[in-house]
Amino acid sequence: MGQSAPEALKGEDWAGEMGARWLASLDRFEGMIAPIGAALLAQADYQPGERVLDLGCGGGATTLAIAEAVGPDGAALGLDIAPMLVERARQRAAEAGSRAHFICADAATAVLDEPPFDRLFSRFGSMFFESPVPAFTNLRGMLKPDARVDLAVWAAPRDNLWMMGVMGTVRQHIEIPAAIPRAPGPFAFEDLTYLEEILTSAGFSDMEVATYEGRQPVAGPGATPQEAVDFVLSSMAVGRVLDEAGPDIRAAARADLIDLFKARHVPGEGVLMGCKVWLVTARA
């Protein structure tokens, strides 16, 4: 066991470091989660004329798709706390001639100068609130009565080998504290009872869940094991932990991660590792 990292996986700073990391590897991040976004969009089934709020829109890929679905009589607004991602989303919209528009703000407290929305959408953008009930209460205030919510959230880490395989390998070299259940982060809503408690407390109802299971292409489709490892170390919080541990530990962990990804590599498809996601619907 290597050295200890008691603050190894501190909360993501999406307005700062994590937003910058996401932007630097935007195509690879989006390539990883594009099939899940497509499944959530298919479930949402947006219709022309609907007004949709896209929470945690990141680089704007889902917002652009929503804008196309709702057409000129609808509206698609992407909301994100990361200024660098919102700027990139605006560039993409301009390049595509899209009607999608974007606001940089903290959804937990933002007051939008917008008519109420018919729908709320979020592909992995809803799990990072420090105080989720007030945040969702604020979001509900942006919606029409009976507006529908569609959220994609990660199921338990044990069902997401793309995360557990990486963490298990890294833990052979450095101590990383166990995740705190329900803490803000990618797996905050793995417990659906907890998510329903939050939504109910915030004034939502009729929560239903569909399950998405598949193989996650680490670093996007077609990535080699080496590319996938470089992506993990440059873009995920665990990379920062290994940077702080020193070059020898980092090199040893990198070698083991390459072996892990080689075992999961499918030529022409990439490094494929199991994933499980909850596709959640509810009503305002």
Side-chain angles (χ1 to χ4, degrees), residues 42-108:
Q43 175 176 285
D45 191 24
Y46 292 117
Q47 300 299 309
E50 290 186 310
R51 291 180 48 78
V52 184
L53 177 63
D54 186 0
L55 167 66
C57 63
T62 51
T63 321
L64 296 179
I66 293 167
E68 184 71 19
V70 300
D73 294 328
L77 172 63
L79 183 63
D80 203 286
I81 198 171
M84 67 291 287
L85 293 175
V86 169
E87 178 60 28
R88 182 67 186 112
R90 288 171 176 159
Q91 292 172 357
R92 283 174 150 181
E95 292 164 1
S98 173
R99 295 175 181 268
H101 61 297
F102 299 90
I103 292 176
C104 182
D106 184 350

Side-chain angles (χ1 to χ4, degrees), residues 30-234:
E30 289 189 343
M32 281 184 66
I33 61 177
I36 301 163
L40 188 64
L41 286 166
Q43 175 176 285
D45 191 24
Y46 292 117
Q47 300 299 309
E50 290 186 310
R51 291 180 48 78
V52 184
L53 177 63
D54 186 0
L55 167 66
C57 63
T62 51
T63 321
L64 296 179
I66 293 167
E68 184 71 19
V70 300
D73 294 328
L77 172 63
L79 183 63
D80 203 286
I81 198 171
M84 67 291 287
L85 293 175
V86 169
E87 178 60 28
R88 182 67 186 112
R90 288 171 176 159
Q91 292 172 357
R92 283 174 150 181
E95 292 164 1
S98 173
R99 295 175 181 268
H101 61 297
F102 299 90
I103 292 176
C104 182
D106 184 350
T109 55
V111 178
L112 302 183
D113 184 18
E114 292 277 340
F117 292 88
D118 303 297
R119 310 284 297 273
L120 175 66
F121 177 95
S122 186
R123 180 190 64 177
F124 302 131
S126 65
M127 305 95 72
F128 300 94
F129 294 123
E130 289 290 338
S131 301
V133 172
F136 274 97
T137 301
N138 191 56
L139 286 164
R140 184 169 172 266
M142 304 176 190
L143 306 175
K144 292 180 180 178
D146 201 41
R148 175 171 155 170
V149 176
D150 288 272
L151 309 174
V153 301
W154 294 110
R158 64 179 176 272
D159 296 319
N160 283 280
L161 184 59
W162 64 271
M163 174 63 77
M164 290 301 288
V166 168
M167 295 305 295
T169 300
V170 172
R171 281 193 168 104
Q172 296 175 26
H173 300 274
I174 187 169
E175 182 179 345
I176 296 178
I180 301 172
R182 302 186 174 187
F187 298 97
F189 297 154
E190 61 177 284
D191 179 352
L192 290 171
T193 300
Y194 175 54
L195 177 55
E196 188 165 26
E197 289 172 1
I198 290 169
L199 292 176
T200 300
S201 297
F204 294 91
S205 61
D206 302 327
M207 189 180 104
E208 296 182 3
V209 181
T211 303
Y212 175 98
E213 292 187 88
R215 292 191 298 172
Q216 188 86 349
V218 179
T224 66
Q226 291 79 7
E227 288 170 338
V229 171
D230 288 342
F231 165 78
V232 165
L233 295 182
S234 65

